[in-house]
Amino acid sequence: MDAAQGASSFAVWDYVVFAGMLLISAAIGIYYALAGGSRQTSKDFLMGGRSMNAVPVALSVTASFMSAITVLGNPTEIYRFGIIYSLFGIAYFFVVVITAEVFLPVFYRLGVTSTYEYLELRFNKYVRLCGTVFYIIQTLLYTGIVIYAPALALNQVTGFHLWGAVVSTGVICTFYCTLGGLKAVIWTDVFQVGIMLAGFVSVIVKAVVIQGGISTILNDAYNGGRLNLWDFNPNPLQRYTFWTIVIGGTFTWTSIFGINQSQVQRYISCKSRFQAKLSLYINLVGLWVILICTVFCGLALYSRYHDCDPWTAQKVSAPDQLMPYLVLDILHDYPGLPGLFVACAYSGTLSTVSSSINALAAVTVEDLIKPYFRSLSERSLSWISQGLSLLFGFLCIGMAAVASLMGTVLQAALSIFGMIGGPLLGLFSLGILVPFTNSAGALTGVLMGFVFSFWVGIGAQLYPPLPERTLPLRLETYGCNSTHNGTNWTTTTEMPFSTSAIQVHSVERTPLMDNWYSLSYLYLSTLGTLVTLVVGMLISLPTGGRKQNIDRRFLLTKEDFLSNFDMFKKKKHVLSYKSHPIEDGGTDNPAFSHMEMNFTDQSDKISGTRL
C-alpha cells in the first residue's frame, strides 16, 4: 500500500461529494424556512409543531448519537481493545427501555419544551437554573470536541484544511438551524444517516475484498486477541469489562437519551406518545446497526495493520486518525469514495452540532428568557430563538479551540457526559422516582454529584491511568515496509492513547492516582448519579420531604406502565373537554385524556412553564 499516493489522492471528486453533502443539508434548511413561512410561534421552531412521525425522529435520534466521534472513535477502540466494545449493544437496550418507560411518559405528559422546565415544576427555579447552566456548559464543551476532533484527524491524514473544515461545518449547521428549526434538523439528520451508512459500507466491502474475505479478517482478529467478548472481571479500574460497559455504559447513555435536551426535544416532537416510544425502539435498531458497522470497521482496521501499526510507526500522530488513514489506503483508486467517507464523518458532526444548537436555543428561551420576560409575544420569541441559534452556532465554533486540549475523542466526549450528565441523571431520577425528595435534597444532591464526578474526571485528565489499568492489546510493527519511512505524513509528538494534552508529566504516582483517578471513564456517570441519589434522599428525609404534597403528574406512576396495554382494550368513546381539533397533538394529545380527566381542577393543566 502506497501511503503517499493515498494522501495525495483526495482529489476533485472527493471535494465534490463532500461539498454536495453540505449543500443538500443547507437546502433542507431553506426548504423548511420557506415552507414554514406562516410559522408564528417559538414552539413550532423549537419543537417542529409536535407533529412528527416515529421513523424520521428515530433516524434523527440515531444520527445525533452517531457523531464523527462514533465514526472515528469507535473503530479505533475496537482496534485497540477488541470486540468487548460491542457489549454496548446490551447497554443500548437497557438505555432505550429506561428512557421509553421512565422518562418519556412524564416529559410527554407535561409537554415541556425544555426538560429543565420539569425541575421548576417538581422542585423550584433554583434547581432549574442549576440544571440549565450545567447543561449549557456540557453541550458547548461536547460540541467543541465534535467539531474539532474530526477536523484535526481528517486534516492530518487527508490534508483537508483544518479551520476551513471547522468553520464550514459550524456555518452550515448554524445556517439550517437558524432558518428551519427542529424540522430542518430532523430531516437533515435523516439524509445524513444515509450518507454515514454509505461511508461505512464502502469501507467494509472494500476491506473484505482486499483482505481476502471475512474469514481472514476474523482469523487475524483471533490471532491478535481481538475476539475478547467476555471479561467478567469486577474491577472498576479496568477500562473495559462486561460490567463497566453494561453498567457504566447504561448510566452514561441514559444521561444522553433520557434527559439530554437534544434527544428529549426530538421524541417530544412526535404527534403522540405511542409514536414517541416507537421512535425510541426503532432507534435501538439503528444503534445496533451502527455498532455492528463500527465493530467490522475496527476489525478490518486491525486485519489491515496487524503487523504494522501506523500509530506506533508514527505514520499518524493520534489514534483517531487511523480510520481516515485506512480509507485513503484502500479507497484511493476510487475517486469520490474517500470524499464519501469524509462526508460520512462530517454528517455525524453536522447532525450532532445542529441538534446541540437547536437544543441550546430551546433551553435558553424556556429557562432563561420566558420566566423573566413574560410580556414577549410568540412572534418575538420565535425571532429570539433564531437569533440564539446563530449565537450558539458561533460559540460552538469557538469552543472547537478548547477541544484541541483534549485527548482521544471518544473518551473525552463520554467523560464530559459522565461528569455533567451523571449528576443531572441523578437529579431527574430523584424527581421522577423518589416522591419524598424536596428541593433542598435535590440541590444538595446534584451539587455533591458534580463535586465527586468533576474530582475524578479532572484528576483522570491530569494523571491518566497507567496501561496496566486500561489494558490495551498489543500492537506490532514487525511487518512495516521501509518504503514508508520516506513518505510525507504529518507527524507530531505522539499522544498517549487515553490522555489529554493537559496531563501532568513526571509526577510520582500516588495511591489516589492509581485508584481513584484510574476509575474507568464509563463509571464517571454512575458515580455522579449514585452520589446525587444517595445525598438527595438523605437530605430530603430530615428536611420535611415526606410532608410535601406532590402532584402525581410529576412522578412515574403505575398507570404510565399500564397504558402500554391500552391498545389491547376495547375502545370506548370518551368525552373530551378540549375545544380544538384532535390533530394538534402535543401536550393536549387525546391519548392522555384518561389521565388528565382524573384531576378535578382542569386549570391544573400544564401550559409552557405555568401551572
Side-chain angles (χ1 to χ4, degrees), residues 21 25 176 188-197 347 350-351:
M21 187 269 298
S25 297
Y176 70 72
T188 312
D189 285 350
V190 171
F191 161 67
Q192 287 159 0
V193 165
I195 293 288
M196 284 186 265
L197 286 175
S347 289
L350 286 175
S351 61

Side-chain angles (χ1 to χ4, degrees), residues 148-425:
Y148 179 80
L152 177 69
L154 293 162
N155 158 258
Q156 292 205 343
V157 177
T158 66
F160 210 74
H161 191 271
L162 175 63
W163 289 103
V166 167
V167 173
S168 64
T169 303
V171 167
I172 292 288
C173 282
T174 306
F175 178 76
Y176 70 72
C177 263
T178 304
L179 283 180
L182 187 70
K183 278 190 177 178
V185 172
I186 286 178
W187 284 108
T188 312
D189 285 350
V190 171
F191 161 67
Q192 287 159 0
V193 165
I195 293 288
M196 284 186 265
L197 286 175
F200 273 138
V201 169
S202 63
V203 171
I204 291 168
V205 169
K206 183 61 179 172
V208 167
V209 171
I210 285 183
Q211 293 306 108
I214 293 177
S215 58
T216 306
I217 291 176
L218 292 177
N219 196 42
D220 288 338
Y222 176 77
N223 293 332
R226 262 63 187 174
L227 302 185
N228 54 341
L229 190 57
W230 305 109
D231 181 352
F232 291 99
N233 185 349
N235 185 356
L237 307 181
Q238 191 173 319
R239 184 183 179 93
Y240 292 133
T241 68
F242 177 87
W243 307 111
T244 55
I245 292 176
V246 172
I247 297 173
T250 298
F251 275 90
T252 302
W253 285 106
T254 302
S255 74
I256 298 170
F257 277 80
I259 60 161
N260 187 290
Q261 175 69 25
S262 309
Q263 304 294 60
V264 174
Q265 192 171 343
R266 281 167 161 71
Y267 55 71
I268 292 296
S269 71
C270 288
K271 61 173 72 169
S272 69
R273 188 174 65 167
F274 172 75
Q275 292 281 331
K277 283 193 176 184
L278 187 61
S279 73
L280 280 170
Y281 286 111
I282 294 171
N283 157 68
L284 176 60
V285 177
L287 295 183
W288 283 339
V289 170
I290 290 357
L291 185 63
I292 290 167
C293 285
T294 56
V295 167
F296 265 101
C297 282
L299 293 179
L301 196 59
Y302 181 74
S303 179
R304 183 71 170 158
Y305 304 121
H306 67 278
D307 59 353
C308 180
D309 170 43
W311 182 46
T312 312
Q314 297 198 340
K315 296 187 181 73
V316 296
S317 61
D320 298 312
Q321 297 169 2
L322 288 167
M323 269 305 284
Y325 184 92
L326 173 72
V327 167
L328 287 169
D329 175 18
I330 66 176
L331 294 176
H332 61 77
D333 291 334
Y334 299 86
L337 282 186
L340 180 68
F341 180 79
V342 174
C344 165
Y346 272 94
S347 289
T349 297
L350 286 175
S351 61
T352 305
V353 175
S354 62
S355 61
S356 297
I357 292 171
N358 199 261
L360 285 166
V363 164
T364 308
V365 166
E366 292 295 325
D367 296 348
L368 303 179
I369 294 177
K370 266 191 181 178
Y372 305 104
F373 301 96
R374 294 183 182 275
S375 59
L376 287 172
S377 67
E378 279 293 341
R379 184 71 178 162
S380 303
L381 287 170
S382 183
W383 281 109
I384 290 169
S385 299
Q386 288 176 296
L388 284 169
S389 290
L390 200 61
L391 170 68
F392 281 122
F394 288 111
L395 270 178
C396 288
I397 294 172
M399 289 305 293
V402 176
S404 63
L405 299 173
M406 306 293 275
T408 52
V409 292
L410 187 81
Q411 181 173 339
L414 290 186
S415 294
I416 286 171
F417 278 129
M419 287 190 286
I420 300 179
L424 288 177
L425 176 62

Side-chain angles (χ1 to χ4, degrees), residues 60-77:
S60 177
V61 170
T62 304
S64 58
F65 147 79
M66 194 176 73
S67 67
I69 288 172
T70 312
V71 175
L72 300 175
N74 285 12
T76 303
E77 291 291 300

